[in-house]
Amino acid sequence: VGDIWIWLFYLYIAFISFAVLNVMTGVFCHSAIKAAERDHEMVIHSLLQTKKDFKELVSNLFFRIDDLGLGMITISEFEKHFNDEAVRAFFESLEMGAADAWTLFASLDADGDNVISLKDFTERCIQLHGPARSVDLFALGQQNAKLRDQLKHIEEMQYSLERYVKRKAQDALQTVMDSQDHGTHCLV
């Protein structure tokens, strides 16, 4: 047997050993990652840390926009900073992009007083962050169903009121016609 075949055999043994070790390492890493994902405490801690970091980022953005330092953002301040590419990019990174400053400001102004406090800003950014979740869509569907029922009730009430007014107008007209037929005149 030649030296080349011996070296090829050694190379084959090294390759197979490397492949087996690679598979064993992969299986070990996969099981360790899965175990870490199932660790409830670690998941909760990670979520809380992410939320804390997010609040800090949003607070920094708030103070960057609040030019007057009053702890409130007005629409003029917001509009001025909304045109800044860094601020727009930040909102896009939060998946909170809007066509214009007014739309986003209205979304962030929870109480409708045309100013946004730090508390409102952080809470609304957290609520509006990311794509819609199934619970958001369900709540929206519930609100739409409630509004539909209210509108249907208003429509029915309007229809009843219309019938009532028509009936009263016909009664009044009939009374006038009857009084004219009996020779009495209605003075207006």
Side-chain angles (χ1 to χ4, degrees):
V1 177
D3 286 338
I4 291 181
W5 291 109
I6 292 174
W7 283 106
L8 279 175
F9 182 71
Y10 286 147
L11 185 63
Y12 172 76
I13 295 295
F15 179 75
I16 295 299
S17 297
F18 178 72
V20 168
L21 284 175
N22 196 18
V23 169
M24 288 175 38
T25 302
V27 168
F28 173 76
C29 288
H30 181 71
S31 64
I33 289 170
K34 288 296 180 189
E37 286 175 353
R38 283 179 270 159
D39 186 9
H40 189 67
E41 256 182 57
M42 191 170 102
V43 169
I44 290 173
H45 178 70
S46 174
L47 287 173
L48 290 175
Q49 185 63 39
T50 302
K51 190 173 182 178
K52 180 183 172 190
D53 293 343
F54 181 75
K55 277 186 174 181
E56 187 176 317
L57 280 171
V58 170
S59 294
N60 290 339
L61 177 64
F62 178 87
F63 291 120
R64 180 178 177 176
I65 295 173
D66 183 19
D67 291 332
L68 301 175
L70 300 174
M72 300 289 217
I73 297 175
T74 63
I75 183 63
S76 58
E77 288 175 316
F78 191 77
E79 224 172 14
K80 181 177 118 185
H81 287 279
F82 187 76
N83 294 327
D84 181 9
E85 287 300 318
V87 172
R88 281 191 120 154
F90 182 79
F91 281 118
E92 288 294 329
S93 74
L94 299 179
E95 298 178 16
M96 291 176 51
D100 57 25
W102 283 91
T103 305
L104 188 55
F105 187 86
S107 299
L108 294 171
D109 185 16
D111 51 8
D113 61 356
N114 295 323
V115 291
I116 304 172
S117 67
L118 174 62
K119 181 181 176 219
D120 287 345
F121 190 75
T122 53
E123 286 176 1
R124 293 298 287 173
C125 282
I126 288 171
Q127 289 173 347
L128 297 172
H129 172 64
R133 296 175 291 268
S134 58
V135 69
D136 298 328
L137 296 176
F138 179 76
L140 188 60
Q142 292 290 356
Q143 289 173 349
N144 281 340
K146 186 177 179 181
L147 270 173
R148 185 181 57 242
D149 291 343
Q150 289 173 344
L151 286 173
K152 187 176 181 180
H153 180 70
I154 289 171
E155 183 181 22
E156 289 169 355
M157 293 295 292
Q158 183 180 7
Y159 184 68
S160 290
L161 186 61
E162 184 181 334
R163 285 191 322 232
Y164 177 76
V165 168
K166 279 183 180 179
R167 195 170 50 246
K168 287 299 181 183
Q170 286 174 347
D171 290 347
L173 185 59
Q174 188 64 41
T175 303
V176 169
M177 296 293 252
D178 288 346
S179 66
Q180 286 179 351
D181 287 344
H182 290 23
T184 59
H185 297 286
C186 182
L187 297 175
V188 180

